[in-house]
PDB file of all heavy atoms in Angstrom:
ATOM      1  N   GLY A 290      27.970 -45.704  14.036  1.00  0.00           N
ATOM      2  CA  GLY A 290      26.982 -46.247  13.109  1.00  0.00           C
ATOM      3  C   GLY A 290      27.252 -45.794  11.687  1.00  0.00           C
ATOM      4  O   GLY A 290      27.136 -46.559  10.737  1.00  0.00           O
ATOM      5  N   ARG A 291      27.649 -44.514  11.591  1.00  0.00           N
ATOM      6  CA  ARG A 291      27.890 -43.980  10.256  1.00  0.00           C
ATOM      7  C   ARG A 291      29.082 -44.720   9.619  1.00  0.00           C
ATOM      8  O   ARG A 291      29.082 -45.030   8.437  1.00  0.00           O
ATOM      9  CB  ARG A 291      28.162 -42.478  10.342  1.00  0.00           C
ATOM     10  CG  ARG A 291      27.837 -41.753   9.050  1.00  0.00           C
ATOM     11  CD  ARG A 291      28.186 -40.286   9.149  1.00  0.00           C
ATOM     12  NE  ARG A 291      27.233 -39.539   9.941  1.00  0.00           N
ATOM     13  CZ  ARG A 291      27.568 -38.520  10.729  1.00  0.00           C
ATOM     14  NH1 ARG A 291      28.818 -38.155  10.852  1.00  0.00           N
ATOM     15  NH2 ARG A 291      26.642 -37.884  11.403  1.00  0.00           N
ATOM     16  N   LYS A 292      30.066 -44.986  10.431  1.00  0.00           N
ATOM     17  CA  LYS A 292      31.228 -45.727   9.938  1.00  0.00           C
ATOM     18  C   LYS A 292      30.814 -47.091   9.409  1.00  0.00           C
ATOM     19  O   LYS A 292      31.303 -47.578   8.404  1.00  0.00           O
ATOM     20  CB  LYS A 292      32.236 -45.941  11.074  1.00  0.00           C
ATOM     21  CG  LYS A 292      33.426 -45.004  10.983  1.00  0.00           C
ATOM     22  CD  LYS A 292      34.422 -45.331  12.076  1.00  0.00           C
ATOM     23  CE  LYS A 292      35.303 -44.134  12.372  1.00  0.00           C
ATOM     24  NZ  LYS A 292      36.067 -44.300  13.593  1.00  0.00           N
ATOM     25  N   LEU A 293      29.867 -47.671  10.150  1.00  0.00           N
ATOM     26  CA  LEU A 293      29.433 -49.016   9.770  1.00  0.00           C
ATOM     27  C   LEU A 293      28.305 -48.984   8.741  1.00  0.00           C
ATOM     28  O   LEU A 293      27.844 -50.014   8.299  1.00  0.00           O
ATOM     29  CB  LEU A 293      28.947 -49.771  11.023  1.00  0.00           C
ATOM     30  CG  LEU A 293      30.002 -49.918  12.110  1.00  0.00           C
ATOM     31  CD1 LEU A 293      29.376 -50.495  13.378  1.00  0.00           C
ATOM     32  CD2 LEU A 293      31.143 -50.815  11.624  1.00  0.00           C
ATOM     33  N   GLY A 294      27.842 -47.751   8.427  1.00  0.00           N
ATOM     34  CA  GLY A 294      26.767 -47.632   7.427  1.00  0.00           C
ATOM     35  C   GLY A 294      25.389 -47.934   7.983  1.00  0.00           C
ATOM     36  O   GLY A 294      24.492 -48.275   7.227  1.00  0.00           O
ATOM     37  N   ILE A 295      25.206 -47.795   9.306  1.00  0.00           N
ATOM     38  CA  ILE A 295      23.871 -47.999   9.879  1.00  0.00           C
ATOM     39  C   ILE A 295      23.492 -46.759  10.706  1.00  0.00           C
ATOM     40  O   ILE A 295      24.270 -45.820  10.796  1.00  0.00           O
ATOM     41  CB  ILE A 295      23.813 -49.243  10.773  1.00  0.00           C
ATOM     42  CG1 ILE A 295      24.926 -49.180  11.834  1.00  0.00           C
ATOM     43  CG2 ILE A 295      23.920 -50.520   9.952  1.00  0.00           C
ATOM     44  CD1 ILE A 295      24.826 -50.229  12.921  1.00  0.00           C
ATOM     45  N   GLY A 296      22.328 -46.794  11.341  1.00  0.00           N
ATOM     46  CA  GLY A 296      21.926 -45.690  12.196  1.00  0.00           C
ATOM     47  C   GLY A 296      21.005 -44.724  11.468  1.00  0.00           C
ATOM     48  O   GLY A 296      20.650 -44.950  10.305  1.00  0.00           O
ATOM     49  N   PRO A 297      20.595 -43.656  12.189  1.00  0.00           N
ATOM     50  CA  PRO A 297      19.597 -42.730  11.612  1.00  0.00           C
ATOM     51  C   PRO A 297      20.146 -41.972  10.417  1.00  0.00           C
ATOM     52  O   PRO A 297      21.319 -41.595  10.407  1.00  0.00           O
ATOM     53  CB  PRO A 297      19.304 -41.779  12.793  1.00  0.00           C
ATOM     54  CG  PRO A 297      20.505 -41.858  13.674  1.00  0.00           C
ATOM     55  CD  PRO A 297      21.063 -43.239  13.511  1.00  0.00           C
ATOM     56  N   LYS A 298      19.281 -41.811   9.454  1.00  0.00           N
ATOM     57  CA  LYS A 298      19.647 -40.997   8.294  1.00  0.00           C
ATOM     58  C   LYS A 298      19.348 -39.535   8.640  1.00  0.00           C
ATOM     59  O   LYS A 298      18.249 -39.190   9.059  1.00  0.00           O
ATOM     60  CB  LYS A 298      18.802 -41.408   7.077  1.00  0.00           C
ATOM     61  CG  LYS A 298      19.106 -42.806   6.574  1.00  0.00           C
ATOM     62  CD  LYS A 298      20.057 -42.740   5.392  1.00  0.00           C
ATOM     63  CE  LYS A 298      20.277 -44.123   4.766  1.00  0.00           C
ATOM     64  NZ  LYS A 298      20.891 -45.094   5.654  1.00  0.00           N
ATOM     65  N   LEU A 299      20.328 -38.688   8.505  1.00  0.00           N
ATOM     66  CA  LEU A 299      20.150 -37.276   8.845  1.00  0.00           C
ATOM     67  C   LEU A 299      19.893 -36.494   7.569  1.00  0.00           C
ATOM     68  O   LEU A 299      20.817 -36.212   6.810  1.00  0.00           O
ATOM     69  CB  LEU A 299      21.401 -36.743   9.555  1.00  0.00           C
ATOM     70  CG  LEU A 299      21.742 -37.494  10.845  1.00  0.00           C
ATOM     71  CD1 LEU A 299      23.139 -37.174  11.295  1.00  0.00           C
ATOM     72  CD2 LEU A 299      20.722 -37.149  11.910  1.00  0.00           C
ATOM     73  N   THR A 300      18.633 -36.204   7.367  1.00  0.00           N
ATOM     74  CA  THR A 300      18.301 -35.419   6.173  1.00  0.00           C
ATOM     75  C   THR A 300      17.539 -34.174   6.585  1.00  0.00           C
ATOM     76  O   THR A 300      17.132 -34.023   7.714  1.00  0.00           O
ATOM     77  CB  THR A 300      17.415 -36.213   5.199  1.00  0.00           C
ATOM     78  OG1 THR A 300      16.287 -36.680   5.928  1.00  0.00           O
ATOM     79  CG2 THR A 300      18.153 -37.399   4.616  1.00  0.00           C
ATOM     80  N   GLY A 301      17.303 -33.324   5.643  1.00  0.00           N
ATOM     81  CA  GLY A 301      16.509 -32.118   5.913  1.00  0.00           C
ATOM     82  C   GLY A 301      17.441 -30.972   5.977  1.00  0.00           C
ATOM     83  O   GLY A 301      17.189 -29.884   5.862  1.00  0.00           O
TER      84      GLY A 301
END
Side-chain angles (χ1 to χ4, degrees):
R291 205 183 284 145
K292 257 184 203 167
L293 301 172
I295 53 170
K298 293 262 186 298
L299 301 165
T300 54

